Amino acid sequence: MGEFSVMRKTASFGCLIAGLILMIWGLAMAIGKTGNTLRGGALVVGAVLFFAGLYLFPTFKHHRTIVNIIFLFPLLFAFAVTVIIPLVLGIGYSFTDWNGIKMKGFVGMANYTRMFKQPGFIWSILITFLFVVFNIILVNLVAFLLALLCTSKIKGLGFFRAAYFLPNLIGGIVLGYIWQFIFSNVITKFTTALFDARYSMLSETKTAFIGIVIVYVWQYAGYIMLIYITGLNTIPGDVLEASSIDGANATQTLFNIKIPMIAPTITICTFLTLTSAFKQFDVNLALTNGTGSVADFMGNYLTNGTEMLALNIYSTAVINNEYAFGEAKAVLFFIILAVVSIVQVRISNKREVEL
Amino acid sequence: MKRKALALLLTMSTLAMTITGCAGAAAATAGADQNPGTEVSDDSQDAGTEDAAAPAGGTTIRLVNNKAEIDVGLHSLAKAYEEKTGITVEIDSIGGGQDTQAVLKNYYQAGNMPDIFVFEGDTHYETWKDVLTDLTGEAWTEDTEAEYVNGGKVYGFPTTTEAIGLTYNKAILDKAGIDPKSITGPESMRAAFEKLDSMKDELGLTSVVGYYTEAANLWWTAGQHLLGTYLDVGLARDDTTYIDLINDGGKLDMERAKPWAEMVALFNEYTDDNGVSGTYDDQIANFAAGKYAFVTQGSWIGAAMTGNYADQYAAAGNFEVGMIPYAFIEGQDTIQTNSPNWWGLYNEGNVEEAKAFIQWCSENDGGQEILAKECGCVSPFTSSTHMPEDPFAATISDYTAAGKTSAWHWQGWKEGLAQNVSAVIFQDFAKGSFKSTDEFLETLSKAIEAYYAQ
């Protein structure tokens, strides 16, 4: 490619080489723990020089590709650092006996076989699935009803929308503590007076589970409601008008016009509630911290009656100090989530096409 | 050409920004921690940079503390030391419900390990044993019995003394005509409880004992401390019979556990219904307000009673408090005292400077005065003459002087046992889920065994 000037070529190769050298030097200092404060600067200047060299690279054919790569790089880099690398490292750690500090060696599949011998963990999986089922139904039902209410012609619509959405703006931990107070102090007063149930519903596994479901629906329904409202508002007016001219009543309009018309919205909402319910952690932690007893499960007296998967993983790693074992559980969690999500999206997409 | 130059400039600046962000953070982690979730005091950050500039200079030592409430006191301790020796001590307090050990692990991974850090007993020792400095033979070890020893070697510096016993409100016991010293075993304890219960209205009591079993947040009081009394009450400080037994696959000695469970049943009988779901604040506030004659909390509540609940405490007459042993077998006459945590020295840090600093901290005319007066520490050092202004300070020193103390060993059982297992069973027992103390004990021992097995 004779069209490029010597200067351009020198600049390009010079930049590339200088950049590489600087980056390697900076990294070497960081890894070697020399404490030299120039290391960060060297790395940054090196990287900038390297990309400058790449941009000036004497080619016409690949120039566009290079520019694309340079623009994509920040995103890919961030994605790799925050998602890909931890995922790979995590899977790696799950085969070891790492305790957060040191690693004595590889243990093969031992962590994976061990977790299925823990009745508490199996209980966590079951209860998580149960929670997911409850939530998909309840959150969507409540959210859809609220959305219908908030698209009707009642007064103070804006106020209602804001009020239903508000719980979603409060963090799960705070919500958990607020509701813990409500369940333990307020509701217990009523149950004591009415049924002579003197103890908080949070101290009994079944009722505590209901408590978590209530709080979660209360928190999440407002958010899903907003999506349903958007969906309902996109239904073309002429369709609704035509149906009313044809003499359809409100129920017929709802089931034969509105619901089929917002099928894509329903897909999105089930997907959102499904994954977020699976990953439920903060309300669980703040409200019951996983406590609750199960008298006889696989011959054991369980004490983690309300502990869902995410919390079980956290407590394995952080409370019990078994980081590698927690990692192994997290890998299983990842697989479950991935499979469920893929299946769910597949099914929903098919249904949309049919409609 | 102009457009090209512009494009180039834009690309460069985008890149520079991204990479500076990352590289800057990397550099910062190595120097001073800027973990957003961590409460790092201001000065530790500037000083961290100095540290990075002169890694082996040895003029700065960094201490990680896990009690946010003594942060201010430790800062004045550091200041006093700096004035005396010119060595800067940075205090890095991790508090507000954060898991100190998890943060320390992050520090370790980031190559940002402090020179002095807190750890709590055997399970934490297992984690850190490769990086802890052997402190055997240091001058201060002659002056205390509360240092952390493992395998015959000293690894931890004790900071304070806390006590676990059945805490009582002396004013109420006096009014009811009960001498706390007369409670020496299960019969006298039951008699005292019955008498108090019959005089509840007269004494203004909600219940005789404030025994709380809420398991989500208060798991440590019943699940850990009360189960811990089974391990140690009445035994010599170095007696590890029952902790060894529990660590041998989770076994309980039924002969000792049976009377202990009877005591738990007694508490269930005379406690407040609110104990099943109440909070730590409820428990302390009610005790400070004189609504309970006894409370199942240790000496650490003194700070809360004179701090957060000073109003209730004053309204109840700033009554005298004391402790009786959890005497579940006649004749058990010790309360449990221990250093709740120890300072360990990182063996790749500034070991010599850190050793000199803790030595100074242990000295009566050194750091002891500030530790007692500003941090409220009850000194574990025999030569110390400084006493904190704490309602329990006198109790602790009386029992210590009389030699009537046992250690506590629950820090040595399998991690998470209290939080994951025992706390919930205590709660169930308090709710009446078990028909008898035998059923309670059987469930407890089976659950502990299962926990050790998995």
Side-chain angles (χ1 to χ4, degrees):
Chain A
M1 298 229 173
E3 303 121 87
F4 292 103
S5 67
V6 182
M7 220 184 96
R8 170 80 180 265
K9 282 181 184 165
T10 344
S12 168
F13 292 123
C15 280
L16 278 176
I17 292 165
L20 268 179
I21 291 174
L22 273 174
M23 277 197 290
I24 291 169
W25 185 52
L27 278 176
M29 277 192 295
I31 293 166
K33 288 188 184 155
T34 52
N36 192 329
T37 44
L38 284 175
R39 64 191 189 277
L43 199 64
V44 175
V45 174
V48 171
L49 276 177
F50 180 79
F51 280 104
L54 207 59
Y55 181 77
L56 294 173
F57 199 79
T59 163
F60 281 123
K61 214 167 127 197
H62 299 297
H63 188 69
R64 253 196 122 69
T65 326
I66 288 175
V67 171
N68 287 347
I69 290 172
I70 292 175
F71 269 104
L72 262 180
F73 178 77
L75 195 70
L76 287 179
F77 183 73
F79 187 66
V81 165
T82 55
V83 180
I84 302 293
I85 295 175
L87 180 71
V88 173
L89 277 181
I91 294 174
Y93 276 131
S94 71
F95 295 104
T96 69
D97 59 357
W98 186 55
N99 70 352
I101 294 284
K102 58 181 184 287
M103 203 168 77
K104 281 195 217 92
F106 284 87
V107 296
M109 296 300 286
N111 285 331
Y112 289 90
T113 48
R114 190 177 143 208
M115 69 177 127
F116 292 107
K117 289 182 197 145
Q118 270 194 340
F121 181 64
I122 295 170
W123 175 263
S124 280
I125 297 180
L126 290 180
I127 200 153
T128 309
F129 273 98
L130 195 67
F131 179 76
V132 169
V133 172
F134 267 93
N135 264 292
I136 292 184
I137 299 170
L138 286 175
V139 171
N140 281 295
L141 191 70
V142 172
F144 187 68
L145 291 178
L146 290 179
L148 281 182
L149 187 75
C150 288
T151 47
S152 63
K153 287 181 183 110
I154 50 166
K155 273 187 185 165
L157 214 56
F159 170 76
F160 283 117
R161 281 188 193 183
Y164 295 136
F165 184 67
L166 204 62
N168 197 256
L169 299 176
I170 311 174
I173 298 280
V174 179
L175 264 187
Y177 287 125
I178 294 172
W179 277 90
Q180 189 182 46
F181 177 82
I182 296 175
F183 285 134
S184 305
N185 295 34
V186 183
I187 294 189
T188 311
K189 291 238 161 42
F190 286 106
T191 52
T192 313
L194 296 175
F195 317 109
D196 194 34
R198 289 173 298 155
Y199 302 120
S200 160
M201 64 187 279
L202 294 180
S203 64
E204 190 71 47
T205 305
K206 284 179 205 144
T207 46
F209 181 75
I210 296 172
I212 300 174
V213 173
I214 292 174
V215 177
Y216 198 68
V217 170
W218 187 74
Q219 179 191 18
Y220 215 61
Y223 177 57
I224 300 297
M225 173 196 79
L226 278 196
I227 304 176
Y228 277 122
I229 289 177
T230 326
L232 288 171
N233 284 339
T234 54
I235 299 174
D238 44 355
V239 181
L240 292 173
E241 210 180 315
S243 74
S244 77
I245 290 169
D246 286 344
N249 61 24
T251 335
Q252 281 169 327
T253 318
L254 176 64
F255 284 103
N256 297 328
I257 311 286
K258 283 185 179 167
I259 292 182
M261 289 295 281
I262 59 162
T265 317
I266 296 176
T267 309
I268 294 169
C269 290
T270 16
F271 179 65
L272 277 176
T273 43
L274 178 87
T275 42
S276 73
F278 254 115
K279 292 185 289 187
Q280 167 58 306
F281 176 76
D282 40 11
V283 173
N284 194 191
L285 177 80
L287 207 58
T288 66
N289 201 1
T291 59
S293 57
V294 181
D296 189 15
F297 179 73
M298 293 168 69
N300 276 278
Y301 191 87
L302 289 190
T303 46
N304 64 337
T306 59
E307 189 178 57
M308 285 175 222
L309 260 177
L311 186 59
N312 185 293
I313 291 168
Y314 167 82
S315 106
T316 307
V318 177
I319 312 287
N320 299 1
N321 204 18
E322 298 189 271
Y323 278 66
F325 190 32
E327 277 289 358
K329 288 180 175 180
V331 170
L332 180 80
F333 187 36
F334 168 73
I335 294 170
I336 295 178
L337 262 182
V339 169
V340 170
S341 306
I342 291 170
V343 169
Q344 211 260 348
V345 169
R346 281 277 160 83
I347 293 173
S348 306
N349 281 348
K350 249 188 210 161
R351 205 186 51 181
E352 267 170 53
V353 175
E354 279 163 14
L355 283 165
Chain B
M1 199 57 212
K2 240 183 183 174
R3 270 173 66 192
K4 265 206 161 165
L6 193 68
L8 184 69
L9 194 75
L10 277 174
T11 323
M12 295 287 229
S13 56
T14 320
L15 273 173
M17 274 194 282
T18 346
I19 298 169
T20 324
C22 302
T29 338
D33 180 77
Q34 289 176 343
N35 184 343
T38 314
E39 184 189 310
V40 181
S41 43
D42 315 340
D43 44 353
S44 80
Q45 283 188 351
D46 343 355
T49 343
E50 280 164 38
D51 193 33
T59 48
T60 307
I61 46 182
R62 188 160 136 248
L63 188 156
V64 165
N65 154 48
N66 65 344
K67 292 195 166 186
E69 63 270 26
I70 64 168
D71 182 59
V72 177
L74 287 179
H75 271 97
S76 53
L77 184 76
K79 212 173 149 206
Y81 191 65
E82 190 176 357
E83 274 163 18
K84 191 164 174 287
T85 60
I87 290 174
T88 316
V89 182
E90 295 163 25
I91 309 296
D92 183 349
S93 289
I94 299 164
Q98 284 197 79
D99 186 327
T100 314
Q101 295 300 312
V103 175
L104 277 171
K105 283 180 180 173
N106 290 346
Y107 282 179
Y108 182 76
Q109 297 293 353
N112 183 32
M113 202 57 189
D115 303 295
I116 305 175
F117 61 95
V118 287
F119 68 101
E120 299 171 12
D122 296 341
T123 36
H124 290 172
Y125 168 78
E126 284 301 316
T127 314
W128 298 111
K129 62 181 172 190
D130 295 340
V131 304
L132 280 169
T133 310
D134 179 6
L135 299 172
T136 318
E138 290 293 304
W140 56 264
T141 53
E142 305 293 321
D143 195 23
T144 180
E145 286 188 335
E147 71 271 30
Y148 180 79
V149 183
N150 199 308
K153 285 182 175 168
V154 180
Y155 291 101
F157 175 83
T159 48
T160 179
T161 313
E162 283 183 352
I164 296 178
L166 186 54
T167 303
Y168 61 81
N169 175 335
K170 189 156 190 304
I172 289 177
L173 292 197
D174 284 349
K175 229 189 266 175
I178 296 168
D179 177 11
K181 287 206 172 56
S182 71
I183 303 175
T184 55
E187 283 91 28
S188 43
M189 197 189 284
R190 177 168 282 280
F193 275 41
E194 274 166 6
K195 187 169 184 191
L196 284 163
D197 194 51
S198 65
M199 298 168 74
K200 244 161 76 172
D201 295 335
E202 205 177 313
L203 299 169
L205 294 178
T206 308
S207 66
V208 177
V209 59
Y211 162 57
Y212 277 47
T213 47
E214 193 272 330
N217 301 298
L218 257 181
W219 51 269
W220 45 271
T221 167
Q224 188 153 285
H225 296 153
L226 198 60
L227 183 57
T229 63
Y230 152 78
L231 298 178
D232 284 299
V233 168
L235 303 177
R237 290 195 71 88
D238 55 358
D239 191 332
T240 56
T241 318
Y242 298 100
I243 182 71
D244 292 345
L245 203 60
I246 229 174
N247 279 332
D248 178 20
K251 294 193 191 82
L252 295 181
D253 175 27
M254 284 304 161
E255 209 171 305
R256 184 174 164 90
K258 182 80 181 81
W260 168 80
E262 295 293 345
M263 178 182 73
V264 179
L266 178 74
F267 292 163
N268 282 334
E269 202 177 324
Y270 291 104
T271 189
D272 188 351
D273 278 349
N274 187 34
V276 168
S277 53
T279 62
Y280 180 64
D281 297 292
D282 295 343
Q283 194 180 15
I284 308 310
N286 280 333
F287 180 69
K291 303 254 197 256
Y292 302 140
F294 294 96
V295 71
T296 52
Q297 288 281 1
S299 64
W300 51 86
I301 65 170
M305 286 169 69
T306 50
N308 288 355
Y309 305 106
D311 294 346
Q312 286 98 320
Y313 190 38
N318 284 332
F319 53 83
E320 212 180 302
V321 292
M323 277 184 188
I324 54 169
Y326 280 104
F328 51 87
I329 295 173
E330 187 64 43
Q332 287 176 326
D333 57 358
T334 61
I335 60 168
Q336 292 165 277
T337 60
N338 228 14
S339 187
N341 53 49
W342 290 270
W343 287 351
L345 269 52
Y346 180 47
N347 59 9
E348 286 179 26
N350 296 323
V351 176
E352 291 312 314
E353 285 82 0
K355 275 183 176 173
F357 173 68
I358 57 174
Q359 175 60 35
W360 175 80
C361 284
S362 77
E363 284 162 10
N364 193 39
D365 45 5
Q368 281 297 314
E369 184 171 357
I370 297 174
L371 279 171
K373 296 279 186 283
E374 293 187 40
C375 302
C377 296
V378 177
S379 177
F381 296 97
T382 43
S383 68
S384 172
T385 53
H386 302 285
M387 283 267 269
E389 309 250 339
D390 186 279
F392 289 96
T395 312
I396 296 175
S397 59
D398 287 352
Y399 274 99
T400 312
K404 297 287 184 197
T405 60
S406 301
W408 64 58
H409 286 101
W410 40 262
Q411 287 159 324
W413 65 37
K414 188 173 173 181
E415 269 172 290
L417 178 69
Q419 190 166 358
N420 292 336
V421 182
S422 58
V424 175
I425 298 174
F426 278 97
Q427 192 184 26
D428 285 347
F429 193 28
K431 280 193 311 189
S433 305
F434 304 120
K435 284 175 207 76
S436 62
T437 48
D438 288 333
E439 197 186 334
F440 160 68
L441 262 188
E442 198 188 319
T443 313
L444 183 68
S445 70
K446 265 170 99 180
I448 293 177
E449 269 172 38
Y451 188 67
Y452 268 92
Q454 70 191 10

